[in-house]
Amino acid sequence: MGAMGTGVRGRGVPWVVLGLWVVLLAVASPFASRLADVQRDRPVDYLPASADSTQVAKVQERLPGGGATQMVVVYHRDGGLSTGDRATAAKQVARIADAHALTAEPKGVPSADGTTLMYPIASTEPGTDEKARDRLVNDVRGIAHEENGLSVDVGGEGALATDAGEVYNSLGGPLLYTTAAVVAILLVVIYRSPLLWLVPLGVAGMSEFLGRAVAYGLHQGFGTSVTGQSSGIMTILVFGAGTDYALLLVSRYREELRRVERPYDAMLAALRGCGPAVLASSGTVAAALLCLLAADLNSSRGMGPLGMVGILCALAAMMTLLPAVLVLLGRRVFWPLVPRYGSTPKARRSLFAAMGSSAGRRPLTVLAGGAALLGALALGVLNLPGTLKQEDSFTTRPDAVTAMRTLAAAYPERGTQPVTVITPTDRAAETLAEVRGTRGVDSARQGRSGDGWTEISVIAANAPQSAGETATIERLRDTLDGSYVGGPSAQQIDLKDTNARDRMVVVPIVLVSVLLILVLLLRSLVAPLILVAAVVAVWAAALGIGGLVFGPVFGFAGTDPGLGLLSFVFLVALGVDYGIFLMHRMREESLAGADAVPAALTALRTTGGVIASAGLVLAATFAVLTNMPLVPLVELGFVIAVGVLLDTFLVRTYLVTSAAVALGRKVWWPGPLSRAPQPRVRTERQAERV
């Protein structure tokens, strides 16, 4: 708006901006609606790009019939199966075999205690079509139904994928509506206006719509993977970060309306005042998210570009569409608390002024106490539960998980889901012999062949995802040269190993990238180091709190392997976001001639309320994930929400301010602000801000 001029000619700029957005959204409409069509939640969409299990999944898709859908039909009666139960099971499985093309004739495997009978089955009918897979699984479930008290459940890799897909497909609507409702309630409380809250919420909704269109374009143009997790996180980021930018802009706009008569000119002043901070903070978040491209895990690597798209679309909307709409609506949008030209806000003791006073009086004491508290909370990391298993990934228990738990209880010393070995066809017989001779293998049989590869299905002697089965998979990988070992259990091993690798690679890249951006922005080395150290401490403390509640309170049986990396990236990016708001105002006050201590306290007093409101909104949007039916999303949402609250009300208000007060002008070292202040003439507006 500022680039297009002021004065009479500039009055039409808001209408032009509004018209451009109408055209943009009309163009984006057909593409935004297609994002759900390209969303994929197959194992290959989440697996590491270079792992054995990924290669197995890719080769299976090229074999005759495509990827095989593996299932296990489980029949169980607590008091023991009767002859009639076994006859019922055999009849139902025969009907399944007649209705569908199975890769082999199903054979029942009874449990030692006589309570359970399982029929492993596999079909290549669906190929790689997820909808066809779901139809197959649901049809099998329809045929294999309970009779006369005989419980029947369908589990296995294919059934688990169908249940997980239903959960992911159900996230979009509830996640969007719940997030919008939470943001709406908070905006009503913050603005205390029956109208104003609608504007940033509506703009956030439009930016989310645009983000979906751009994400679809990235998928079509560059093959960026789109999963239920990444699209859900993008929605959260658009509403959370976008509302934060709106809060900062509206707060500054309200200030300027008291000083400037015309809303258009007041908005130009507001954009000049807070625009650089918003641009810098959003750029930092986008850059940090883009660092996920260095991850080997497909789901993490795809989340980076989608998260960046969400942030940039939110930035574009809040810096163009929101100002245009606010200007067109005029001062009345703030009713009943309309900021009149020439008026002054009611003088009242600010909570953040009181916080700043305590930090100003005893900065080292406050700093030491806060650091000790964060350190103590971080010790909770030692109490984090072990790696999350597939069957423990749901907050409720779908049919596939029920089947897997029944199998685990009935066959404690036997594998119940296959480990898949893909080997060159010219070595199939030799590989099969090696597999059967490997310690920990119960049985193995040769499967399909095609495209130069042969599939071997292996049943381990130990339960799925147990230490014994893991050791068997590792022995197979060490023994079989030129072959790949995959399957559900192997996938979980690869997920854990790759997440550990990605943390070692991505975390340093994020830290260096964020630090360089802060150095360039703040023209200092000390201030950026303080901000980065603070957000790392917040991340450790938030994870520690998770360790104290995930098992004992929530009853989770494990921790998602990707929690550490994803929570780090988001908390560092978003935490530095708020640090930029505070430090930018502190630098502004220092440039105006204020000493270091008054500059720090003034920055806290003037930005504290906005940062607190933004932190509450962002924490609430991520907290929405804790209501989702997937444990990894609940854990991620909880850690980020807690981390944002710690950052907002402890680190940003007390620790960073205390550090700035204790260091004085050294906080800007080696920049010119670190040296003795030079007398400068303060403008009337700068004096008013103090």
Side-chain angles (χ1 to χ4, degrees):
M1 291 174 67
M4 297 180 71
T6 59
V8 176
R9 288 179 300 172
R11 308 305 179 211
V13 171
W15 287 109
V16 173
V17 172
L18 185 60
L20 289 174
W21 268 94
V22 169
V23 173
L24 181 61
L25 292 174
V27 172
S29 180
F31 304 105
S33 60
R34 295 179 189 171
L35 185 65
D37 297 335
V38 299
Q39 179 179 310
R40 295 289 182 269
D41 292 296
R42 303 168 301 169
V44 72
D45 298 307
Y46 285 84
L47 290 174
S50 60
D52 262 27
S53 55
T54 310
Q55 304 309 314
V56 168
K58 290 180 177 179
V59 171
Q60 283 181 315
E61 292 179 356
R62 301 200 303 267
L63 292 176
T69 298
Q70 306 276 354
M71 290 173 283
V72 181
V73 185
V74 183
Y75 294 89
H76 176 81
R77 189 185 291 274
D78 288 337
L81 296 172
S82 65
T83 302
D85 291 337
R86 293 187 179 91
T88 298
K91 183 169 58 175
Q92 290 186 355
V93 172
R95 287 178 56 198
I96 294 172
D98 290 339
H100 300 284
L102 304 183
T103 58
E105 180 183 353
K107 294 182 179 180
V109 181
S111 64
D113 61 6
T115 63
T116 309
L117 179 64
M118 71 169 178
Y119 280 88
I121 61 175
S123 173
T124 58
E125 278 184 6
T128 60
D129 188 336
E130 292 183 38
K131 293 182 179 179
R133 177 204 64 200
D134 296 342
R135 287 194 297 269
L136 170 65
V137 171
N138 291 328
D139 189 57
V140 169
R141 284 173 170 167
I143 296 173
H145 59 275
E146 295 186 5
E147 288 188 16
N148 301 320
L150 175 66
S151 69
V152 185
D153 294 295
V154 179
E157 181 184 5
L160 190 65
T162 292
D163 291 340
E166 289 179 359
V167 171
Y168 277 116
N169 291 334
S170 68
L171 291 181
L175 183 63
L176 177 60
Y177 304 144
T178 306
T179 303
V182 167
V183 171
I185 292 170
L186 289 174
L187 288 177
V188 169
V189 173
I190 292 168
Y191 287 140
R192 292 172 291 169
S193 168
L195 178 61
L196 180 57
W197 66 274
L198 286 168
V199 181
L201 183 64
V203 172
M206 294 177 190
S207 60
E208 197 270 345
F209 187 79
L210 177 62
R212 295 179 69 83
V214 177
Y216 175 79
L218 281 179
H219 172 80
Q220 294 298 102
F222 301 98
T224 303
S225 64
V226 179
T227 64
Q229 185 186 50
S230 61
S231 61
I233 293 296
M234 185 183 73
T235 295
I236 291 290
L237 281 174
V238 169
F239 276 92
T243 305
D244 283 0
Y245 303 150
L247 286 169
L248 192 67
L249 176 65
V250 171
S251 175
R252 195 63 174 259
Y253 179 50
R254 190 197 296 265
E255 288 183 32
E256 300 298 341
L257 283 173
R258 299 183 187 277
R259 304 187 184 105
V260 180
E261 183 176 1
R262 297 182 181 275
Y264 180 86
D265 296 328
M267 181 57 73
L268 287 181
L271 287 171
R272 283 193 294 266
C274 71
V278 172
L279 288 171
S281 61
S282 60
T284 304
V285 175
L289 291 174
L290 206 57
C291 292
L292 283 171
L293 286 174
D296 190 37
L297 198 65
N298 284 338
S299 56
S300 297
R301 192 169 63 251
M303 190 179 295
L306 260 67
M308 181 195 69
V309 163
I311 290 292
L312 295 182
C313 287
L315 171 69
M318 296 306 170
M319 291 291 102
T320 58
L321 180 59
L322 178 63
V325 174
L326 288 175
V327 169
L328 292 174
L329 292 175
R331 296 175 187 271
R332 59 185 177 274
V333 74
F334 290 94
W335 185 88
L337 304 175
V338 179
R340 305 292 180 186
Y341 173 58
S343 64
T344 56
K346 292 182 179 179
R348 54 185 178 183
R349 180 66 171 168
S350 167
L351 170 64
F352 294 96
M355 291 179 173
S357 298
S358 62
R361 288 193 301 270
R362 294 179 294 274
L364 294 179
T365 301
V366 171
L367 192 60
L373 175 60
L374 291 177
L377 292 175
L379 293 176
V381 171
L382 301 176
N383 197 48
L384 283 170
T387 303
L388 190 68
K389 295 182 179 180
Q390 277 183 309
E391 62 264 32
D392 298 322
S393 298
F394 302 87
T395 57
T396 57
R397 187 182 295 183
D399 289 348
V401 172
T402 301
M404 294 173 73
R405 292 188 177 178
T406 300
L407 291 173
Y411 304 84
E413 302 300 328
R414 187 184 192 281
T416 54
Q417 63 183 12
V419 175
T420 302
V421 174
I422 294 292
T423 189
T425 300
D426 58 2
R427 295 184 53 200
E430 178 186 346
T431 301
L432 182 61
E434 287 184 272
V435 169
R436 287 172 174 168
T438 301
R439 183 160 53 93
V441 171
D442 181 77
S443 63
R445 62 180 175 84
Q446 186 170 320
R448 300 171 293 164
S449 295
D451 198 33
W453 296 96
T454 293
E455 179 183 73
I456 297 174
S457 182
V458 182
I459 297 296
N462 301 97
Q465 297 184 42
S466 64
E469 190 200 43
T470 298
T472 300
I473 292 172
E474 290 175 347
R475 278 193 290 271
L476 287 171
R477 286 179 167 174
D478 291 339
T479 303
L480 305 177
D481 292 332
S483 301
Y484 300 111
V485 181
S489 297
Q491 291 168 5
Q492 294 302 109
I493 296 171
D494 291 337
L495 285 173
K496 180 181 177 182
D497 292 344
T498 304
N499 272 296
R501 174 265 175 198
D502 285 349
R503 284 196 299 272
M504 298 296 294
V505 172
V506 177
V507 166
I509 294 176
V510 171
L511 289 176
V512 171
S513 300
V514 169
L515 191 61
L516 288 176
I517 292 173
L518 290 176
V519 168
L520 293 174
L521 175 68
L522 299 176
R523 297 175 180 83
S524 163
L525 287 177
V526 176
L529 287 172
I530 291 173
L531 292 180
V532 170
V535 292
V536 171
V538 164
W539 169 69
L543 269 184
I545 294 175
L548 298 176
V549 301
F550 285 164
V553 179
F554 294 165
F556 295 158
T559 305
D560 179 54
L563 177 64
L565 175 63
L566 294 181
S567 61
F568 178 85
V569 171
F570 284 114
L571 280 178
V572 168
L574 298 170
V576 167
D577 201 24
Y578 294 149
I580 289 174
F581 293 161
L582 179 67
M583 283 292 187
H584 183 269
R585 191 59 181 258
M586 195 182 301
R587 179 177 174 79
E588 187 179 337
E589 296 296 328
S590 298
L591 286 171
D595 289 333
V597 175
L601 300 183
T602 300
L604 177 61
R605 188 182 73 244
T606 54
T607 65
V610 177
I611 291 177
S613 299
L616 284 172
V617 170
L618 190 62
T621 54
F622 272 99
V624 169
L625 291 176
T626 62
N627 195 41
M628 297 296 107
L630 288 170
V631 171
L633 290 182
V634 174
E635 291 178 341
L636 182 63
F638 179 86
V639 169
I640 295 178
V642 168
V644 169
L645 292 176
L646 282 175
D647 188 82
T648 302
F649 293 102
L650 174 61
V651 173
R652 210 58 51 211
T653 51
Y654 280 113
L655 302 191
V656 172
T657 303
S658 297
V661 169
L663 289 171
R665 288 192 167 268
K666 293 178 182 177
V667 77
W668 303 114
W669 185 88
L673 284 177
S674 63
R675 295 185 283 275
Q678 300 296 321
R680 296 184 62 174
V681 178
R682 297 166 62 86
T683 66
E684 181 180 348
R685 179 170 298 174
Q686 290 167 340
E688 288 176 358
R689 288 176 185 159
V690 179

